[in-house]
């Protein structure tokens, strides 16, 4: 496997013309085209390993991107001719560098190594709607990519239901979906069937829509452990009492004013689809596991922000491209290891919704408890074991039923948006 050594710099060390539109916002290593060309078996937007020289541990996995054609290698390199690479500060720390330790080029050197990631390359995109299957939404979340059983069997590390990464090889945009097989007379190998929303998010076409109709599938080997029993129980109760809608959104750069404020922005129609209101909290999920999840507050965008709110829009633009976009500031993107152009899953925070609704109905719930106590006192003339057991049981049952009824409007919000 080939390798190259570069000197790590941050965005501020380069000029805007060095980047393609949006490249400087990526959580990746951006190198001169000559450096990328020197890695014979690696193309743009594929993954490489980044490590400090002499490091004994495995390198940090990241996408590799080339600077724009206007980038001048000679201008942005050391006196010895070693090229500079743009790497975000958080990624520098993951590699093992010390961004605050000064501009010593030797201390900021990074080795870029080619690596073998398990992928299925050049999968032709087909529409999900082109075939019929009664139980095609058989995954937990009901959203998946479908490949042939032969392609599934040809990948040793891939099993049905595994979450994999789909990548647009021309833009580097990514989305993570469960992968399933399907059985249909028109099934073919080296293809993947995904729905229209997923194709829009990745900006790919189906075979009969256009020429950009290929994706790369990367099998994730760094997915964290499954949910614990307590987490599964909490989620089960949350779905029964609060419930949630989820959707995938394409990541746009956040506003400068939102940096460090734990805030993301989307338009009103997108909020309705999630069953949330202004300033409600949502969960951003990039990979399974709590380390790739963020709890943030959701607010609407500025009126003049046509990327979220078009200048001329129908009464409701739900389902249009603007409603598939979310503005996430760099502080939150870095915590999730995502880039502008990626697509991330968002759902409302069930605990927040439950707390908000229960607090509004606290007096009603308290009235049920007090009324239940008075009813029990009428039935029992003195305190006995039967009195205690009956009182606790009845209060618990009625309290749970009351909370369930109180939460009904919240459950309906995420099921049938207006």
């Amino acid at each position: 496997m080939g390798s190259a050594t570069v000197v790590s710099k941050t965005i501020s060390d380069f000029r805007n013309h060095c980047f393609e539109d949006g490249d400087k916002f990526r959580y990746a290593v951006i190198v001169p085209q000559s450096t990328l060309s020197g890695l014979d078996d690696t193309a743009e937007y594929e993954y490489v390993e980044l490590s400090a020289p002499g490091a004994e541990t495995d390198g940090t996995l990241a996408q590799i991107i080339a600077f724009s054609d206007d980038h001048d290698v000679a201008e942005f390199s050391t006196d010895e001719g070693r090229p500079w690479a743009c790497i975000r500060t958080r990624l520098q720390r993951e590699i093992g560098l010390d961004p605050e330790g000064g501009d010593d080029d030797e201390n900021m050197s990074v080795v870029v190594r080619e690596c073998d990631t398990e992928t299925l390359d050049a999968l032709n995109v087909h529409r999900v709607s082109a075939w019929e299957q009664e139980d095609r939404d058989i995954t937990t979340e009901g959203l998946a990519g479908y490949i042939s059983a032969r392609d599934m069997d040809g990948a040793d590390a891939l099993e049905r239901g595994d979450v994999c990464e789909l990548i647009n090889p021309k833009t580097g945009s990514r989305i993570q979906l469960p992968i399933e097989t399907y059985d249909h007379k028109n099934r073919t190998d080296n293809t993947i069937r995904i729905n229209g929303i997923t194709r829009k998010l990745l900006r790919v076409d189906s075979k009969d829509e256009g020429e950009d109709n290929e994706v790369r599938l990367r099998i994730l080997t760094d997915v964290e452990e499954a949910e614990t029993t307590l987490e599964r129980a909490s989620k089960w109760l949350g779905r029964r009492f609060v419930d949630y809608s989820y959707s995938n959104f394409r990541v746009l750069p956040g506003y400068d004013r939102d940096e460090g404020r734990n805030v993301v922005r989307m338009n009103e129609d997108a909020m309705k689809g999630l069953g949330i209101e202004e300033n409600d909290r949502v969960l951003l999920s990039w990979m399974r596991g709590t380390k790739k999840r963020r709890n943030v507050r959701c607010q609407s965008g500025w009126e003049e922000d046509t990327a979220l709110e078009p200048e001329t829009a129908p009464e409701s633009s739900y389902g249009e491209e603007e409603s598939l976009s979310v503005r996430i500031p760099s502080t939150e993107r870095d915590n999730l290891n995502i880039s502008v152009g990626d697509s991330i899953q968002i759902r409302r925070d069930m605990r927040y919704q439950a707390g908000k609704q229960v607090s509004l109905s606290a007096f009603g719930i308290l009235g049920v408890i007090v009324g239940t106590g008075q009813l029990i006192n009428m039935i029992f003339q003195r305190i006995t074991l039967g009195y205690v057991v009956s009182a606790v049981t009845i209060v618990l049952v009625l309290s749970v039923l009351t909370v369930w009824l109180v939460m009904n409007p919240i459950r309906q919000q995420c099921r049938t948006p207006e």
Side-chain angles (χ1 to χ4, degrees), residues 377-396:
N377 287 331
M378 294 173 60
I379 298 174
F380 294 89
Q381 300 300 319
R382 59 192 179 87
I383 297 177
T384 63
L385 179 61
Y387 172 90
V388 174
V389 173
S390 299
V392 171
T393 302
I394 294 174
V395 168
L396 284 176

Side-chain angles (χ1 to χ4, degrees), residues 77-83 105:
S77 61
T78 65
D79 294 338
E80 293 77 22
R82 181 171 294 177
D105 291 342

Side-chain angles (χ1 to χ4, degrees), residues 181-360:
T181 60
Y182 69 100
D183 185 20
H184 188 269
K185 64 181 180 179
N186 293 328
R187 67 184 183 275
T188 57
D189 296 338
N190 203 38
T191 63
I192 184 167
R193 295 186 181 271
I194 51 180
N195 65 18
I197 297 297
T198 305
R199 296 198 304 273
K200 281 186 177 182
L201 291 170
L202 283 175
R203 298 190 187 276
V204 296
D205 306 314
S206 67
K207 67 171 185 176
D208 53 355
E209 290 177 329
E211 298 179 354
D212 296 330
N213 53 16
E214 288 187 353
V215 296
R216 179 187 301 124
L217 185 152
R218 182 172 78 95
I219 301 170
L220 301 178
T221 57
D222 50 355
V223 175
E224 297 178 12
E225 295 181 359
E227 294 176 318
T228 64
T229 302
L230 181 60
E231 289 171 337
R232 287 196 297 269
S234 176
K235 187 174 181 179
W236 185 88
L237 285 173
R239 293 302 297 263
R240 270 66 189 171
F241 279 80
V242 186
D243 210 351
Y244 65 82
S245 292
Y246 77 95
S247 187
N248 286 287
F249 293 83
R250 183 188 299 113
V251 177
L252 301 177
Y255 302 143
D256 290 342
R257 62 175 291 188
D258 289 337
E259 295 292 341
R261 294 184 58 234
N262 198 229
V263 168
V264 299
R265 306 265 183 173
M266 62 178 65
N267 72 16
E268 183 179 351
D269 286 334
M271 290 187 192
K272 287 182 179 179
L274 296 178
I276 63 173
E277 300 174 347
E278 185 87 7
N279 285 313
D280 281 355
R281 301 198 74 86
V282 295
L283 293 177
L284 314 180
S285 299
W286 174 237
M287 289 176 63
R288 289 178 178 175
T290 56
K291 289 185 179 180
K292 295 296 182 294
R293 185 178 298 165
R294 294 290 293 175
N295 186 307
V296 298
R297 193 173 300 279
C298 186
Q299 297 180 351
S300 57
W302 292 341
E303 292 183 0
E304 62 270 23
D305 185 357
T306 57
L308 290 181
E309 297 288 354
E311 292 179 351
T312 56
E315 184 175 339
S316 174
S317 62
Y318 184 70
E320 300 298 327
E321 184 162 330
E322 293 79 13
S323 294
L324 297 176
S325 299
V326 58
R327 288 203 174 277
I328 304 181
S330 62
T331 46
E332 297 300 332
R333 297 199 308 269
D334 286 350
N335 283 318
L336 290 164
N337 295 5
I338 59 172
S339 299
V340 170
D342 291 339
S343 296
I344 190 169
Q345 189 181 108
I346 301 180
R347 67 172 174 86
R348 68 183 184 182
D349 182 355
M350 292 188 290
R351 291 183 182 179
Y352 174 84
Q353 293 292 333
K356 184 174 74 169
Q357 188 69 5
V358 168
S359 64
L360 292 174

Side-chain angles (χ1 to χ4, degrees), residues 36-100:
L36 177 58
S37 300
L39 303 175
D40 296 332
D41 297 323
T42 301
E44 191 169 26
Y45 301 117
E46 289 189 341
Y47 282 83
V48 293
E49 286 187 351
L50 308 177
S51 60
E56 297 180 357
T57 58
D58 293 337
T60 300
L61 209 62
Q63 282 183 305
I64 187 169
I65 304 173
F67 284 114
S68 71
D69 294 336
D70 295 328
H71 175 73
D72 184 356
V73 181
E75 181 181 358
F76 300 99
S77 61
T78 65
D79 294 338
E80 293 77 22
R82 181 171 294 177
W84 291 1
C86 181
I87 302 177
R88 296 184 69 90
T89 302
R90 186 179 180 90
L91 184 52
Q92 289 179 351
R93 294 194 182 99
E94 289 186 23
I95 298 168
L97 305 180
D98 181 14
E100 286 78 29

Side-chain angles (χ1 to χ4, degrees), residues 7-19:
V7 174
S8 177
K9 299 289 184 178
T10 58
I11 296 171
S12 59
D13 294 307
F14 299 89
R15 299 178 186 175
N16 286 335
H17 69 259
C18 295
F19 305 95

